[in-house]
């Protein structure tokens, strides 16, 4: 027995070495159809989904060599599949190319306009339940068909989806809209009152070329698309939620002879609810710091006009917030999440408000307290004009 | 028969690591939702007297484990009956936990791999750990305790920007009935399972400061439970209770500059380590208790058969995760019986019968 022991260990080691390494569900790159983005449109009948699935062609997606990549053809392929369920439609891909769709890199989900108005909830379950999909995938709403958006090629990126991701992340940095992931969207959807939002993407025609343009936010009620916010209204929403990071505020110069542009350097907000005599009052406090970056007039920016400039900027912010609120009141969609804020702070009074929140919401009194502080004025201190 | 010496620090670590086994990936958010952290606190406070009762039993019958205690308190027949029931309970816990780990893999990471594969491989490692003995496990405890104490703060830090305090509002919104239910789950399932500590009493160096040590272990374990439930609620908000593993879902949201993403694997690894520790301890409890019932000199011959029974049991006990959820309340009642009701009753009877008889006892331990 003593002598057998080393032999036994060696045999066991060999058996384990031969059986355990490697993965059960190992998938080679060549057998996978890597899905980068999914566009969801309404199919022929009401229940049917029409998916546009963007699949990478790994051989074409390599960085083009010196002779240029143009001649090599597209690095992606958009498969169009129909089905009653998401999984059913996606599996259709296998029928077309014999490869298994791999969803771990599907970073963009686009809802077509027609589909979004009929309700998107039925597709979300798939993305949340599947272990391959990521909860950080971006959600977008197309102004037209989602499939068309995925077809727009870009000069800068090999894949249309990569281009869309870049645009979204870049423009969100200048507070044009908010990055919405599946997780954010679901969270809003599961709230009793908050209306989910998602960036709105359109196609612009520039001569022969089509370009992707992302601007504004689509507004959902429950899970149905009901309207959209324009750029101004979008920033109004972002001021309140404290999501403004950067961006420009344009006002007229102190003597109204031109324009002055300010770059936002910092902004924070605080929302406090109040219930008085059965009326809901929301106090919104915004504190912003800006830097002067450009002026088109020759007005002197000196200390006495600072207060005026700050007040004019505050007025811009005030108008944007009111525009956003008026739009949401018109749609009676609580994009600000005021319902949640009231519920969280006044759970007792909420009971009576919950049922008719749709009627209460448009009649909320907003009390705005906005303060803008001007900090720097750039490299010049005097107006650029001939001495008088 | 029980040849192992566990120091006081190791004892604390065993309890903490055992509790942490339930923490990293599993969660108890389903009933109490965003009030879970309150349920954890309430459960902890309610469990303190139960721990005191365990410690008091251990002190009274120093040198005896749970099986020997029940026999000393209730006499050979009733005592053996209770011992047999405890063996069964530990076996059920072992099977449940092994199944949980297997399901964790098949649901979250490798849906195409058959469940038995994970369960058998995992149980084999646990069997080896039990074979080499409790002393080795106790020494490993110090290392295992560190894992959650690194992973939890690390993930919380990376998720800090996604947290919102308003997710906890309004405080105490869960209906009282559900809050009690949630607290009951916390008390009986993760905390109550520490009844297994009574199986190690003979291996301890000293039982003098056992009250303090048991409470300390409980405290560290609860801190992890609390930290995880606070992190999950703050990060996930309204969706926290829909996930099979909220922790994993929260960590999936980590996205630091597109580079540091998909850290759920980190939780997966940590969870596997902690479950290994927990399952090995439960495995040890099953074989030790049965060995004592059967009056064996050593428990090693039981390791293989018990392992096979546990694997089979874990495979057949629930057909699906839905069934598992549906039988949750039945398990809750069973767990309450063994961890919350029997020990105080045993202590009460011991007090009434004035056990242990000092003379008799000193003879026995010599």
């Amino acid at each position: 027995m003593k002598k057998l022991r080393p032999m036994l260990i060696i045999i066991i080691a060999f058996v384990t070495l031969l059986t355990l390494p490697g993965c059960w569900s190992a998938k080679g790159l060549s057998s996978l159809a890597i899905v980068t983005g999914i566009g969801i449109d309404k199919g022929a009948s009401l229940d049917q989904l029409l998916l546009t699935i963007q699949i990478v062609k790994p051989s074409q997606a390599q960085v083009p060599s010196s002779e240029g990549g143009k001649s090599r053809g597209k690095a992606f392929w958009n498969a169009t599949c129909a089905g009653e369920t998401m999984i059913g439609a996606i599996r259709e891909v296998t029928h077309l190319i014999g490869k298994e769709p791999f969803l771990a890199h599907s970073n963009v989900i686009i809802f077509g306009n027609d589909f979004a108005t009929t309700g998107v909830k039925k597709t979300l379950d798939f993305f949340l339940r599947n272990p391959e999909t990521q909860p950080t995938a971006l959600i977008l709403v197309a102004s037209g068909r989602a499939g068309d958006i995925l077809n727009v090629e870009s000069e800068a990126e090999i894949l249309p989806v990569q281009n869309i991701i870049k645009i979204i992340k870049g423009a969100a940095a200048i507070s044009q809209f908010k990055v919405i992931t599946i997780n954010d969207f679901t969270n809003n959807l599961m709230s009793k009152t908050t209306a989910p939002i998602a960036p709105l993407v359109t196609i612009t025609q520039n001569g022969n070329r089509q370009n992707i343009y992302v601007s504004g936010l689509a507004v959902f009620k429950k899970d149905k698309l009901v309207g959209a916010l324009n750029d101004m209204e979008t920033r109004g929403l972002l001021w309140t939620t404290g999501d403004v990071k950067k961006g420009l505020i344009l006002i007229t110069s102190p003597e109204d002879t031109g324009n002055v542009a300010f770059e936002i350097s910092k902004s924070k907000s605080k929302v406090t609810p109040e219930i008085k005599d059965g009326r809901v009052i929301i106090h919104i406090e915004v504190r912003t710091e800006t830097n002067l970056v450009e002026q088109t007039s020759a007005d002197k920016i000196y200390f006495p006009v600072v207060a005026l400039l700050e007040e004019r900027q505050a007025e811009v912010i005030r108008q944007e917030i009111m525009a956003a609120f008026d739009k949401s009141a018109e749609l009676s969609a609580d994009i600000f999440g005021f319902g949640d804020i009231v519920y969280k702070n006044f759970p007792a009074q909420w009971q009576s408000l919950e049922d008719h929140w749709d009627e209460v919401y448009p009649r909320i009194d907003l009390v705005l307290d906005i303060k803008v502080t001007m900090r720097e004025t750039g490299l010049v201190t005097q107006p650029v004009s001939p001495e008088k | 028969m029980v040849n192992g010496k566990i120091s006081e620090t190791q004892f604390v670590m065993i309890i903490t690591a055992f509790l942490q086994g339930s923490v990293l990936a599993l969660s108890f958010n389903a009933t109490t939702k965003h009030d879970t952290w309150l349920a954890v606190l309430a459960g902890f406070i309610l469990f303190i007297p139960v721990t005191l009762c365990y410690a008091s039993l251990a002190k009274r019958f120093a040198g005896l484990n749970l099986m020997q205690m029940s026999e000393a308190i209730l006499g050979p027949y009733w005592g053996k009956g209770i011992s047999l029931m405890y063996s069964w309970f530990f076996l059920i816990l072992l099977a449940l936990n092994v199944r949980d780990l297997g399901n964790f893999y098949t649901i979250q990471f490798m849906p195409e791999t058959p469940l038995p594969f994970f369960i058998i491989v995992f149980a084999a490692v646990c069997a080896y750990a039990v074979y080499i003995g409790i002393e080795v496990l106790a020494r490993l405890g110090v290392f295992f305790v560190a894992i959650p104490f690194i992973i939890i703060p690390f993930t919380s830090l990376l998720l800090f920007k996604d947290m919102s305090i308003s997710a906890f509002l309004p405080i105490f919104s869960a209906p009282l009935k559900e809050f009690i239910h949630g607290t009951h789950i916390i008390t009986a399932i993760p905390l109550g399972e520490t009844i297994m500590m009574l199986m190690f009493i003979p291996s301890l160096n000293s039982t003098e400061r056992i009250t303090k040590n048991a409470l300390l272990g409980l405290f560290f374990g609860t801190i992890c439970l609390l930290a995880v439930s606070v992190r999950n609620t703050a990060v996930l908000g309204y969706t926290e209770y829909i996930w099979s593993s909220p922790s994993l879902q929260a960590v999936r949201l980590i996205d630091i500059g597109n580079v540091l993403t998909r850290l759920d694997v980190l939780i997966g690894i940590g969870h596997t380590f902690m479950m290994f520790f927990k399952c090995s301890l439960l495995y040890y409890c099953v074989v030790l208790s049965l060995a004592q019932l059967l009056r064996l000199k050593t428990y090693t011959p039981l390791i293989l058969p018990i392992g096979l029974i546990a694997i089979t049991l874990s495979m057949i006990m629930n057909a699906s995760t839905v069934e598992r959820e549906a039988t949750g309340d039945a398990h809750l009642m069973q767990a309450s019986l063994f961890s919350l009701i029997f020990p105080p009753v045993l202590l009460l009877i011991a007090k009434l019968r004035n056990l242990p008889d000092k003379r008799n006892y000193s003879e026995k331990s010599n």
Side-chain angles (χ1 to χ4, degrees):
Chain A
M1 193 64 203
K2 267 264 165 66
K3 273 184 186 167
L4 271 175
R5 222 180 135 92
M7 271 308 283
L8 198 68
I9 289 174
I10 289 169
I11 290 170
I12 291 176
F14 260 100
V15 171
T16 12
L17 194 67
L18 288 176
T19 52
L20 289 185
C23 302
W24 193 289
S25 325
K27 288 165 185 164
L29 191 60
S30 57
S31 69
L32 291 179
I34 299 171
V35 177
T36 56
I38 299 175
I40 307 170
D41 284 302
K42 204 165 85 172
S45 66
L46 193 65
D47 284 342
Q48 209 178 30
L49 305 168
L50 189 67
L51 301 196
T52 308
I53 301 162
Q54 187 154 104
I55 294 164
V56 189
K57 294 191 211 158
S59 56
Q60 310 279 352
Q62 286 152 0
V63 179
S65 51
S66 52
E67 59 257 38
K70 273 283 155 202
S71 57
R72 305 177 65 188
K74 286 196 279 189
F76 65 93
W77 173 61
N78 284 348
T80 312
C81 309
E84 313 265 292
T85 56
M86 288 292 297
I87 187 86
I90 288 176
R91 287 278 161 84
E92 283 287 306
V93 171
T94 316
H95 286 279
L96 297 173
I97 54 169
K99 290 181 181 180
E100 209 178 324
F102 183 62
L103 298 169
H105 297 280
S106 55
N107 292 323
V108 172
I109 293 150
I110 305 173
F111 294 121
N113 192 52
D114 286 349
F115 174 70
T117 48
T118 63
V120 300
K121 196 160 62 186
K122 58 188 172 217
T123 58
L124 283 177
D125 179 89
F126 167 76
F127 291 107
L128 302 178
R129 202 179 284 276
N130 193 309
E132 267 180 14
T133 53
Q134 295 295 317
T136 47
L138 303 178
I139 291 219
L140 295 171
V141 174
S143 60
R145 282 190 65 249
D148 297 339
I149 303 283
L150 286 174
N151 273 327
V152 178
E153 284 181 71
S154 123
E155 292 286 350
E157 293 286 333
I158 300 168
L159 300 172
V161 163
Q162 292 297 341
N163 185 40
I164 295 170
I165 293 175
K166 264 203 171 159
I167 294 173
I168 296 267
K169 297 220 162 142
I174 52 169
S175 312
Q176 292 288 321
F177 43 77
K178 206 174 169 180
V179 177
I180 299 288
T181 62
I182 283 214
N183 187 63
D184 301 331
F185 195 86
T186 319
N187 234 316
N188 281 352
L189 194 66
M190 290 194 65
S191 147
K192 282 188 187 108
T193 51
T194 308
I197 46 175
L200 201 60
V201 49
T202 50
I203 300 175
T204 54
Q205 197 80 30
N206 184 3
N208 269 337
R209 276 208 64 80
Q210 286 190 323
N211 287 313
I212 292 287
Y213 191 75
V214 187
S215 122
L217 289 173
V219 177
F220 288 77
K221 178 127 181 136
K222 298 288 175 204
D223 67 324
K224 292 186 174 67
L225 180 71
V226 288
L229 303 183
N230 63 22
D231 281 353
M232 180 190 176
E233 291 154 355
T234 300
R235 197 160 75 172
L237 170 65
L238 298 185
W239 287 118
T240 338
T241 51
D243 287 312
V244 173
K245 300 276 179 274
K246 256 180 150 184
L248 294 175
I249 299 179
L250 208 64
I251 55 168
T252 52
S253 66
E255 289 155 34
D256 299 322
T257 53
N259 290 324
V260 188
F262 287 88
E263 175 87 49
I264 304 153
S265 65
K266 206 174 172 184
S267 179
K268 55 182 180 184
S269 70
K270 198 172 150 195
V271 179
T272 354
E274 190 191 341
I275 295 183
K276 206 191 254 170
D277 312 327
R279 282 187 73 81
V280 181
I281 302 164
I282 304 274
H283 298 265
I284 301 173
E285 192 186 291
V286 179
R287 294 286 176 268
T288 304
E289 287 180 16
T290 57
N291 298 327
L292 197 161
V293 287
E294 187 182 344
Q295 71 158 329
T296 58
S297 67
D299 295 354
K300 189 169 161 54
I301 307 294
Y302 59 126
F303 186 68
V305 299
V306 166
L308 178 69
L309 290 173
E310 288 178 347
E311 181 41 43
R312 282 185 180 175
Q313 293 177 67
E315 187 51 37
V316 170
I317 298 176
R318 200 169 290 130
Q319 280 171 6
E320 286 178 349
I321 294 179
M322 285 321 292
F325 180 73
D326 290 344
K327 186 60 173 280
S328 70
E330 186 191 310
L331 302 170
S332 93
D334 184 0
I335 49 173
F336 294 90
F338 287 154
D340 272 342
I341 295 170
V342 173
Y343 161 64
K344 283 173 191 297
N345 287 284
F346 302 103
Q349 286 96 318
W350 175 248
Q351 306 278 331
S352 60
L353 291 170
E354 191 184 339
D355 292 334
H356 55 281
W357 181 250
D358 278 355
E359 292 135 52
V360 176
Y361 181 74
R363 286 180 288 140
I364 288 178
D365 288 334
L366 287 192
V367 181
L368 304 182
D369 169 18
I370 291 153
K371 196 167 258 166
V372 179
T373 316
M374 188 183 121
R375 293 284 182 204
E376 318 293 341
T377 54
L379 299 185
V380 294
T381 53
Q382 300 296 324
V384 189
S385 65
E387 246 178 287
K388 277 168 198 161
Chain B
M1 169 169 140
V2 188
N3 47 3
K5 284 287 167 235
I6 300 173
S7 76
E8 289 187 9
T9 326
Q10 284 169 348
F11 181 67
V12 177
M13 296 302 169
I14 285 184
I15 296 177
T16 310
F18 184 84
L19 282 171
Q20 285 167 338
S22 336
V23 162
L24 270 185
L26 307 175
S27 174
F28 305 89
N29 293 28
T31 17
T32 38
K33 297 179 184 174
H34 67 263
D35 283 331
T36 305
W37 66 281
L38 278 171
V40 171
L41 276 183
F44 172 67
I45 291 163
L46 287 175
F47 197 70
I48 289 175
V50 184
T51 308
L52 291 178
C53 160
Y54 295 168
S56 155
L57 273 172
K59 262 192 174 164
R60 248 169 196 273
F61 300 92
L64 300 186
N65 67 23
L66 187 58
M67 305 296 137
Q68 295 158 327
M69 275 175 210
S70 62
E71 224 166 299
I73 295 168
L74 300 170
Y77 297 108
W78 284 102
K80 278 215 175 61
I82 294 287
S83 298
L84 193 65
M85 285 164 79
Y86 266 108
S87 306
W88 168 250
F89 176 57
F90 288 135
L91 182 66
I92 287 276
L93 284 186
L94 174 63
L96 275 174
N97 280 288
V98 170
R99 173 66 182 260
D100 273 351
L101 188 98
N103 270 351
F104 176 70
Y105 271 93
T106 53
I107 292 172
Q108 307 285 355
F109 295 112
M110 305 177 199
E112 286 165 31
T113 312
L115 181 66
F117 177 77
F118 294 111
I119 292 186
I120 291 169
V121 170
F122 184 71
V125 182
C126 293
Y128 178 68
V130 175
Y131 176 72
I132 56 177
I134 181 71
E135 216 178 331
V136 183
L137 269 181
R139 264 183 273 142
L140 277 174
V142 185
F143 162 68
F144 281 112
V145 161
I147 298 173
F149 276 116
I150 294 167
I151 292 180
I152 295 171
F154 179 65
T155 51
S156 307
L157 202 68
L158 293 182
L159 283 168
F160 190 73
K161 68 177 168 55
D162 298 313
M163 293 187 184
S164 79
I165 298 182
S166 67
F168 295 99
L169 294 173
I171 290 174
F172 222 85
S173 69
L176 190 63
K177 200 179 138 208
E178 290 195 356
F179 188 75
I180 291 173
H181 187 195
T183 312
H184 186 186
I185 291 175
I186 301 278
T187 318
I189 293 179
L191 301 182
E193 285 170 3
T194 52
I195 180 75
M196 63 88 213
M197 76 166 95
L198 289 180
M199 292 302 292
F200 306 113
I201 303 303
S203 311
L204 295 184
N205 275 342
S206 95
T207 47
E208 268 173 45
R209 280 192 293 272
I210 189 166
T211 317
K212 190 190 129 213
N213 291 337
L215 285 176
L216 211 58
L218 182 71
F219 176 70
F220 286 138
T222 314
I223 283 193
C224 290
L225 199 57
L226 195 64
V228 165
S229 62
V230 165
R231 180 196 68 196
N232 292 351
T233 305
V235 172
L236 293 174
Y238 283 112
T239 60
E240 67 168 328
Y241 64 93
I242 68 169
W243 307 107
S244 59
S245 170
S247 296
L248 221 55
Q249 201 59 34
V251 172
R252 278 193 178 131
L253 295 178
I254 293 178
D255 185 354
I256 308 291
N258 277 339
V259 180
L260 215 52
T261 56
R262 305 182 189 188
L263 289 181
D264 43 345
V265 175
L266 193 70
I267 297 278
I269 295 169
H271 184 58
T272 313
F273 272 108
M274 301 322 289
M275 283 299 266
F276 158 71
F277 193 78
K278 188 178 181 186
C279 290
S280 300
L281 287 178
L282 289 170
Y283 203 151
Y284 174 81
C285 291
V286 183
V287 289
L288 182 67
S289 58
L290 275 176
Q292 274 176 354
L293 272 175
L294 302 172
R295 302 226 175 279
L296 300 182
K297 280 209 178 63
T298 161
Y299 62 72
T300 35
L302 288 175
I303 293 178
L304 193 63
I306 291 297
L308 294 177
I309 292 172
I311 289 170
T312 320
L313 186 60
S314 71
M315 301 294 303
I316 60 168
M317 66 195 321
N318 296 131
S320 64
T321 40
V322 181
E323 192 180 308
R324 168 72 200 273
E325 222 176 285
T327 52
D329 277 346
H331 176 65
L332 178 62
M333 286 304 146
Q334 165 180 273
S336 315
L337 185 69
F338 284 102
S339 53
L340 305 179
I341 295 173
F342 277 172
V345 170
L346 283 178
L347 186 65
L348 190 70
I349 296 174
K351 279 210 166 143
L352 290 177
R353 295 185 62 187
N354 215 5
L355 288 168
D357 190 339
K358 282 284 178 274
R359 273 172 306 132
N360 196 359
Y361 175 62
S362 58
E363 273 164 31
K364 231 184 196 170
S365 64
N366 291 337

